[in-house]
Amino acid sequence: MSAPSDAAAARLLAELHAARHLARGSRRSEAEARPSLSAAALWAHVRRVPGRPVSLAVERQIRDDPATGRRYRAMLRSQALAHTPLAIAASDGAVVQRRLGSFALEIVPPDAEAMALLLIRGVAEGASAPSLIEAALGAEIVRLELGAPIAGTIVLALDPEVAETALLARLAADPKSEIFLL
Amino acid sequence: MTGGYDERCAADLANVCEGRDLSRQDRAWLARAVTGAMRPNRDKPLWDLAHALTALAQLAGARDGRDLVTLALDPDLARAATIEARFSGARAGSAEADARGLVIEGAGWRITWSGLARLLALAEFVLTAEDLAGIATLSGWFDELAREPGAEAAGFLSKRLARHLAAYRNAHLPLAPLERRFRAILGFLHGRSDFGDDDVLEFWRAEMGEDERPGFRTIAEHFVTFEAVVSALGGLAGLRAAASLDSDEAWHDRVDTSLADIVGDEPAENLAAMLLGLPEGPKILTGAERDDLVDLLRLDPFHRTRPLTTLRAVSFGRVQSGIANRLRRGGGGGEVAERAACIDAEPYDAIAVRAACLAAHLKLMVGIAACLRLPAETADAALRAALQAAEADLKRVRRSGFDGDRVALAAGFAAVDETLVRTAEEVAALIRAMQNLEARRPLPEIFAADRPIFAETLTQAYAGESVS
């Protein structure tokens, strides 16, 4: 039988033993795999504002390195008001709808007089409204700013002449793409 | 794992340490915060972190959790000096930045700039651990703090963080086997704090009767920690007082300093890590030479103070890990029985010869490092002769990288010569310790006495596998 104070002493010894070994191993050799982008660099990319310059190196890493892409999406999800990890899209004819949490996303196709529109419905009064939308599919990523909601709905014109909105229209229509509302 | 943590935890910690380029002391502090080796309160760092975020939220005008995550990850805030430059003199709400660091008025809480830099490293650890699995939850908690930053919110966040880290420890830090073993060591020593080589051996033999069958080297590592802790805390009484979590306040700082020393001050342990992390370059050490050196020096400081335990670990520890590897690969039967008989164990005098060869090689390489670094023309005649001899040695070495570009060779040496010199010193210390041991009794005799003991212990412990 050991004395009761031995239990506390043994616990401290165990914690110190693990800490010593951990501290020793905390400088890895060059050869070992390590994340190529710092958490800070990824986070800055998560918080980027559309239209401002971004690091192409960061974009390339997210696109080309699956582990970096996973870390980026984990950060993005943590900040999104809503997102679709998978398509829960119901497509009927030309109109695509999907649900993102409490929001409904809808594309109204163009007609003779107006270009296509992206509608985000369900912004409750007083609740925080999304200010950004990001859509991603494979190597393609697009992020756009959203305007203020009017009567609970945000409207974004999908101008086919503008590269970003054209890409968003295509990605939003694809049930395989991932969409984040930030 | 025998070290009390899994690979995920090691990688999570290494990411933060490398990303922030933490000093050895700060790496040791972070490791202690993660394993809970803090007294009197294991979760004091999380209490401090919650208060630091409360103060920062006010001083930086953080609107939400995201802003706090940004502050925690900001590389410009990784150093005490840059944090000070940004916040010094600031004041908002209950938070103030004075000349020494952050203060929360009314809460009686303060932290120095360098303490704050460490806390932000801890924040990055909890945010990014397990591939960012917790970041959504944490940034939600930060949201609540940012909405109403105050003493109450800080206390609440610190409880949440403590629960979060406790869950992480449950998943990634299997401390229970270590704890059980240290308890057994305390019981085995019956209130003694000093122990001898034969205590280590006897304790290992007792443990081999249990299910876990720990390696001899693993047990020796426990004794290394035990010795370091007992010596830093002033004996078993000091250890018990520090561990009891209710020591008087005046004593807290001293305990913390001692715990920091136990984890942070182990130069030769880092030497093993440095050897394993030597950059690619000229073949100053082959892979086998490097592994041999790590093998000899890994139980620091026992290679200086307890050469017999070092010899036992090198010789019979290898036999045992051979058996364990064999069993892990699904082998068994006759081969295990054969290994357990220790016929192939390396005799202690052979290990001494191997150490001498390594020492000679290191001496040669240290000489070459000098002749590559120092100008050949020097007024000191003895030094000039030594450099010329090293130059001649250099021409004789037949290893990759030694016959080509002298500038590249010099750069290769410059990157490692500090490690070389320190390694050479430690190997020399081991050789002296072995000579002192030999002076009392010849190494072959000691080996002959040890072999049947190890053979019997291993044979009994692995008997179940031998017959299958």
Side-chain angles (χ1 to χ4, degrees):
Chain A
M1 267 305 286
S2 50
S5 62
D6 277 0
R11 173 71 188 259
L12 177 57
L13 283 162
E15 288 162 355
L16 286 166
H17 189 72
R20 276 161 68 89
H21 286 244
L22 262 178
R24 194 187 313 162
S26 60
R27 197 164 40 180
R28 281 175 296 190
S29 64
E30 301 289 322
E32 277 174 275
R34 71 173 75 172
S36 39
L37 276 182
S38 70
L42 272 180
W43 180 254
H45 198 66
V46 166
R47 300 205 68 185
R48 74 194 184 277
V49 176
R52 300 260 185 86
V54 294
S55 158
L56 294 177
V58 171
E59 274 194 333
R60 193 172 337 109
Q61 283 278 348
I62 290 170
R63 207 174 49 223
D64 298 345
D65 177 37
T68 307
R70 272 197 303 279
R71 290 167 67 220
Y72 171 70
R73 279 188 296 279
M75 279 189 177
L76 202 54
R77 272 196 297 277
S78 79
Q79 298 311 308
L81 291 172
H83 68 94
T84 48
L86 299 165
I88 329 165
S91 165
D92 71 69
V95 181
V96 171
Q97 283 188 326
R98 41 166 117 197
R99 289 216 66 85
L100 287 86
S102 61
F103 304 101
L105 201 133
E106 187 178 328
I107 293 176
V108 181
D111 59 29
E113 279 148 43
M115 58 182 74
L117 296 176
L118 177 78
L119 305 182
I120 299 164
R121 301 184 198 277
V123 183
E125 194 138 346
S128 43
S131 60
L132 296 168
I133 183 168
E134 176 159 332
L137 177 62
E140 292 181 303
I141 300 178
V142 62
R143 171 178 286 206
L144 286 165
E145 253 174 316
L146 298 170
I150 297 160
T153 300
I154 296 169
V155 183
L156 180 70
L158 297 174
D159 189 340
E161 303 296 318
V162 176
E164 278 93 5
T165 46
L167 179 56
L168 177 64
R170 192 155 55 73
L171 294 183
D174 193 322
K176 290 193 294 299
S177 62
E178 210 174 351
I179 294 183
F180 302 88
L181 293 178
L182 295 150
Chain B
M1 283 210 60
T2 55
Y5 55 88
D6 64 9
E7 282 173 28
R8 181 71 259 168
C9 176
D12 287 341
L13 192 77
N15 286 344
V16 177
C17 292
E18 279 168 9
R20 295 184 167 245
D21 195 19
L22 295 185
S23 68
R24 194 175 75 208
Q25 286 79 7
D26 285 351
R27 287 202 310 262
W29 181 87
L30 187 57
R32 285 201 296 135
V34 170
T35 66
M38 295 281 178
R39 294 294 183 276
N41 184 345
R42 197 171 280 125
D43 291 319
K44 174 76 162 35
L46 298 168
W47 168 264
D48 285 336
L49 173 57
H51 284 78
L53 290 171
T54 304
L56 286 176
Q58 297 178 74
L59 295 178
R63 284 154 308 173
D64 50 26
R66 293 177 204 189
D67 286 346
L68 283 173
V69 174
T70 302
L71 285 168
L73 297 181
D74 190 343
D76 289 338
L77 298 181
R79 297 271 174 276
T82 51
I83 307 178
E84 184 178 359
R86 169 123 159 230
F87 290 107
S88 186
R91 186 186 192 101
S94 61
E96 189 191 342
D98 66 13
R100 291 172 49 211
L102 293 189
V103 184
I104 297 182
E105 285 159 24
W109 179 89
R110 67 154 48 245
I111 194 83
T112 60
W113 298 118
S114 54
L116 182 55
R118 288 175 164 186
L119 291 175
L120 292 178
L122 177 59
E124 178 173 341
F125 179 86
V126 291
L127 283 167
T128 58
E130 295 176 301
D131 259 338
L132 299 147
I135 192 171
T137 308
L138 281 150
S139 96
W141 294 345
F142 289 3
D143 266 332
E144 289 179 35
L145 181 78
R147 270 202 294 278
E148 264 177 79
E152 203 179 322
F156 192 48
L157 177 63
S158 93
K159 286 202 189 80
R160 283 173 151 176
L161 290 173
R163 259 204 311 277
H164 185 74
L165 192 57
Y168 181 89
R169 288 184 191 132
N170 270 337
H172 301 289
L173 289 155
L175 293 176
L178 303 189
E179 204 177 323
R180 191 200 63 71
R181 202 164 285 143
F182 279 116
R183 216 170 154 159
I185 288 176
L186 288 165
F188 175 84
L189 292 174
H190 289 296
R192 278 187 295 140
S193 61
D194 60 324
F195 58 89
D197 292 303
D198 288 343
D199 287 318
V200 179
L201 178 58
E202 205 184 312
F203 181 78
W204 172 73
R205 294 183 69 192
E207 288 282 294
M208 286 296 279
E210 309 286 323
D211 289 343
E212 274 182 66
R213 295 184 301 203
F216 179 80
R217 190 182 279 285
T218 301
I219 292 301
E221 280 170 353
H222 281 68
F223 277 91
V224 169
T225 295
F226 176 77
E227 186 182 67
V229 172
V230 165
S231 124
L233 291 174
L236 281 178
L239 166 61
R240 291 193 171 117
S244 71
L245 303 178
D246 57 7
S247 49
D248 66 289
E249 203 148 327
W251 210 50
H252 291 172
D253 284 349
R254 241 181 50 219
V255 168
D256 193 62
T257 307
S258 300
L259 299 186
D261 288 346
I262 290 165
V263 177
D265 278 2
E266 35 176 2
E269 281 294 6
N270 277 321
L271 195 63
M274 278 164 79
L275 279 167
L276 289 172
L278 280 183
E280 288 293 311
K283 270 269 169 283
I284 299 165
L285 293 173
T286 64
E289 284 161 351
R290 195 193 55 189
D291 292 348
D292 281 358
L293 287 166
V294 170
D295 199 29
L296 292 172
L297 303 179
R298 184 161 252 168
L299 288 177
D300 174 66
F302 285 4
H303 66 273
R304 272 178 266 127
T305 57
R306 301 176 193 277
L308 181 52
T309 295
T310 298
L311 286 167
R312 284 169 173 164
V314 171
S315 173
F316 298 105
R318 187 176 297 166
V319 172
Q320 189 180 7
S321 61
I323 295 173
N325 284 337
R326 174 88 196 145
L327 292 175
R328 237 194 322 275
R329 287 199 310 269
E335 198 192 317
V336 167
E338 204 174 292
R339 284 177 191 245
C342 295
I343 304 299
D344 292 332
E346 185 177 22
Y348 297 161
D349 52 347
I351 296 172
V353 169
R354 205 149 55 83
C357 288
L358 286 164
H361 176 69
L362 286 166
K363 191 167 171 241
L364 184 81
M365 290 296 144
V366 168
I368 291 175
C371 88
L372 287 168
R373 191 172 268 239
L374 301 174
E377 294 313 316
T378 161
D380 184 332
L383 178 58
R384 197 165 57 237
L387 292 177
Q388 279 166 1
E391 191 68 46
D393 288 336
L394 171 55
K395 293 203 174 63
R396 278 197 296 273
V397 175
R398 295 282 169 268
R399 284 179 180 230
S400 98
F402 279 73
D403 45 0
D405 184 357
R406 192 176 171 100
V407 175
L409 183 62
F413 266 93
V416 302
D417 57 8
E418 192 191 333
T419 307
L420 276 182
V421 170
R422 283 183 44 204
T423 309
E425 283 167 5
E426 296 302 327
V427 174
L430 168 64
I431 289 172
R432 278 196 303 279
M434 287 191 295
Q435 283 164 350
N436 290 339
L437 181 67
E438 173 117 57
R440 291 198 293 277
R441 195 179 173 194
L443 292 182
E445 261 183 43
I446 307 177
F447 179 72
D450 277 357
R451 178 144 74 182
I453 297 172
F454 277 95
E456 186 197 333
T457 310
L458 292 173
T459 301
Q460 273 175 12
Y462 296 105
E465 270 81 16
S466 307
V467 291
S468 65

